[in-house]
Amino acid sequence: MSDIDNLFATPQPQVADFVFDHHVARVFPDMIKRSVPGYPTIVESIGLIAAHYAQADTLVYDLGCSLGAASQSIRRQVKASNCKVHAIDSAEAMVERCREYLQAQDAMFQELAPAEVSLADITEIDLAPCSVVVLNFTLQFITPDRRLALLQRIRNALVPGGILILSEKLLFSDAATQSSLESLHYAFKRANGYSDLEIAQKRAAIENVMLPDTLETHIERLHAAGFGHAHTWFQCLNFCSMIAHAR
């Protein structure tokens, strides 16, 4: 069980940059559910999409897996023979708790796809042949100048017919659209119990750490990385998820 997210409920003289430490890991399920519109739908649908595209004798990667919510959904739904889930994150606190959650899932369900959890930098690891790769709100935390190279490595590891599922917070080039959806996102947070202080301090903590792109930038970068057709399959306010197909 996770705790209630109150990390930013007390005024802080100086708000430090956001890090995925043990404090965040402890409250992360509550934090992301109350912060990302449509998150439960995205996670459940990732399993559905992965099951449709997963191929026998390949890996399914969950890169930047955090606590493994996407991995759990994938494990329940993927039925391709000899298909294994490999969840990877660079935050030790997240990896430790992810392993605990997947072990608990093993105790509750039968016929789950096997899974492995690794502590590693996803921008540096070698990827084995895979049919599905998930970047669920991960790319936005990668330094912008390293994003294309990561996507190219993912594309090169995907087998024919493979896909990338990419979920991201979006920026909008149109100022009116940006303002409208941003204000609605804050309203979403308030409706989920966050105070204006919490919203402001979380924004200050994350503004130099999470750097979102426009949808147009994402699509252009995916094409530059060698993907064929790329399209949005889900959007709620300023959060979306895309599928990019290997050529």
Side-chain angles (χ1 to χ4, degrees):
M1 293 292 293
S2 68
D3 293 343
I4 299 299
D5 174 26
N6 58 5
L7 297 183
F8 297 95
T10 302
Q12 301 177 16
Q14 184 173 358
V15 180
D17 283 347
F18 188 87
V19 293
F20 290 97
D21 57 14
H22 287 280
H23 298 292
V24 171
R26 176 174 52 82
V27 303
F28 190 72
D30 181 66
M31 174 186 287
I32 198 163
K33 183 178 179 181
R34 294 165 64 199
S35 300
V36 178
Y39 183 76
T41 299
I42 291 173
V43 168
E44 187 65 22
S45 298
I46 283 174
L48 172 72
I49 296 167
H52 185 75
Y53 287 98
Q55 300 178 34
D57 304 314
T58 65
L59 288 176
V60 173
Y61 280 108
D62 182 6
L63 302 181
C65 63
S66 62
L67 301 186
S71 290
Q72 292 182 57
S73 178
I74 293 165
R75 297 184 73 200
R76 291 195 306 270
Q77 300 189 59
V78 166
K79 304 301 180 186
S81 63
N82 198 32
C83 190
K84 181 179 179 179
V85 178
H86 194 170
I88 304 173
D89 203 285
S90 61
E92 185 175 0
M94 291 295 198
V95 167
E96 289 176 2
R97 192 160 287 224
C98 179
R99 288 184 177 133
E100 293 175 1
Y101 281 138
L102 294 187
Q103 289 171 1
Q105 188 185 30
D106 285 332
M108 293 187 293
F109 295 93
Q110 295 181 343
E111 299 182 2
L112 293 169
E116 175 184 0
V117 185
S118 298
L119 176 66
D121 183 342
I122 63 170
T123 65
E124 297 180 355
I125 60 169
D126 293 325
L127 299 175
C130 48
S131 53
V132 178
V133 176
V134 175
L135 289 171
N136 198 38
F137 302 107
T138 297
L139 193 67
Q140 58 202 17
F141 290 100
I142 302 295
T143 305
D145 61 4
R146 305 184 75 183
R147 293 176 185 179
L148 177 58
L150 172 59
L151 293 177
Q152 288 172 328
R153 290 173 50 249
I154 291 171
R155 170 59 191 92
N156 291 337
L158 282 167
V159 300
I163 63 159
L164 166 67
I165 304 171
L166 175 64
S167 308
E168 292 279 288
K169 183 180 182 181
L170 294 178
L171 286 180
F172 297 88
S173 54
D174 177 71
T177 302
Q178 176 66 29
S179 177
S180 174
L181 292 179
E182 188 173 58
S183 65
L184 286 171
H185 180 218
Y186 296 151
F188 172 85
K189 287 189 167 189
R190 293 186 193 97
N192 281 313
Y194 284 121
S195 66
D196 287 340
L197 173 67
E198 289 174 291
I199 293 170
Q201 293 192 142
K202 173 70 175 298
R203 182 171 65 246
I206 210 163
E207 64 182 356
N208 295 320
V209 178
M210 188 186 78
L211 303 173
D213 290 312
T214 64
L215 179 60
E216 293 78 13
T217 297
H218 282 297
I219 298 298
E220 290 173 3
R221 187 189 292 122
L222 288 166
H223 288 157
F227 287 92
H229 184 59
H231 61 89
T232 300
W233 66 268
F234 180 89
Q235 182 176 339
C236 186
L237 302 184
N238 48 351
F239 291 80
C240 86
S241 191
M242 297 160 262
I243 297 174
H245 297 260
R247 293 183 190 275

